[in-house]
Amino acid sequence: MRAEFSSILFDLDGTIVDSAPGITATLAYTFEQLGLPIPSPAELVAYVGPPILDSFRDLAGFTPEQSQRALEIYRPEYLRHGAFNATVYPGVEDVLRAIHASEVPLSLATSKPETPAKLVLEHYDLLKYFDVITGASDDEVRSAKADVVEEALRRLVAIGADVTHTVMVGDRSHDVHGAAAHDVPTIFVRWGYGSPAEEVGTIAAVDSTTQLLPLLLG
């Protein structure tokens, strides 16, 4: 296959894995431990994808102090149990394998902190396909998607990759906007957690990996 892009960035939650079961279960545990009513399943799904501190602020209405306390409960529980309560989307491993075989540099670019992101990829034997792993910093200082994309591009350049024609693959509007902040276009995957409105500004939207692969590799 002829590569259409010089390097590729991949989101994780909602793009590579359906991680909602583990994330929402951990969120329910967190709210319970805080002594707060547990949001409905539909409300909890809205937390999946964006940086968790942003979701605590924007969806739960937490103060910075409350968000930090919630994170202290959420993080160890997610690492113990939630990270492995996920499913790789059908066909995604085939896409990652094909990218790796094509020798197009591939970086993860996720708002999930790097430690759990690596755990997930290792658990599903997907880590071997990536040249670079980039996520939020474990202290959440780097969590905005634009900052993650910037760091992913920096790390790709550091290994000698060509980032002049990079593409992002993701499922939420924060993927689109974060990539656009660095003039990186996004291919939107519809099997994730995003709504049709979140496709605005993308160069393509796909329903399956069989549609995605030709866009990436020609």
Side-chain angles (χ1 to χ4, degrees):
M1 290 183 171
R2 176 178 59 85
E4 295 294 311
F5 297 95
S6 64
S7 57
I8 299 171
L9 310 179
F10 248 86
D11 177 46
L12 180 61
D13 298 324
T15 302
I16 295 175
V17 294
D18 178 5
S19 52
I23 292 173
T24 57
T26 308
L27 285 166
Y29 171 85
T30 301
F31 278 92
E32 182 180 45
Q33 293 299 304
L34 289 170
L36 297 173
I38 298 173
S40 70
E43 290 170 329
L44 289 175
V45 168
Y47 285 73
V48 183
I52 190 67
L53 287 177
D54 288 1
S55 292
F56 284 144
R57 179 194 65 211
D58 299 337
L59 300 178
F62 288 173
T63 65
E65 293 76 18
Q66 290 171 319
S67 295
Q68 191 60 42
R69 173 58 183 146
L71 183 65
E72 290 169 359
I73 297 169
Y74 176 93
R75 181 183 289 154
E77 178 68 10
Y78 184 76
L79 290 175
R80 279 194 299 267
H81 302 294
F84 309 114
N85 188 3
T87 306
V88 180
Y89 287 108
V92 169
E93 182 171 5
D94 295 334
V95 172
L96 298 177
R97 184 186 299 113
I99 294 170
H100 183 70
S102 75
E103 299 184 349
V104 175
L106 175 63
S107 175
L108 192 71
T110 176
S111 295
K112 186 188 293 297
E114 288 179 9
T115 294
K118 288 179 180 178
L119 285 175
V120 170
L121 293 177
E122 287 173 347
H123 182 73
Y124 294 103
D125 197 27
L126 301 176
L127 191 63
K128 61 191 177 186
Y129 300 123
F130 288 86
D131 300 287
V132 173
I133 300 297
T134 311
S137 55
D138 286 339
D139 61 7
E140 304 279 349
V141 170
R142 181 183 68 245
S143 63
K145 200 56 178 255
D147 295 339
V148 171
V149 170
E150 180 179 25
E151 180 65 13
L153 295 172
R154 187 193 68 77
R155 293 181 184 182
L156 284 168
V157 169
I159 65 168
D162 178 3
V163 297
T164 59
H165 195 201
T166 302
V167 68
M168 176 79 199
V169 180
D171 71 306
R172 298 298 305 269
S173 59
H174 72 281
D175 297 319
V176 181
H177 299 150
H182 301 283
D183 298 319
V184 173
T186 297
I187 296 175
F188 192 91
V189 300
R190 290 174 172 151
W191 57 76
Y193 311 121
S195 66
E198 296 181 68
E199 298 177 15
V200 174
T202 64
I203 57 171
V206 298
D207 296 299
S208 68
T209 55
T210 56
Q211 294 175 344
L212 174 62
L213 190 55
L215 294 177
L216 296 174
L217 297 181

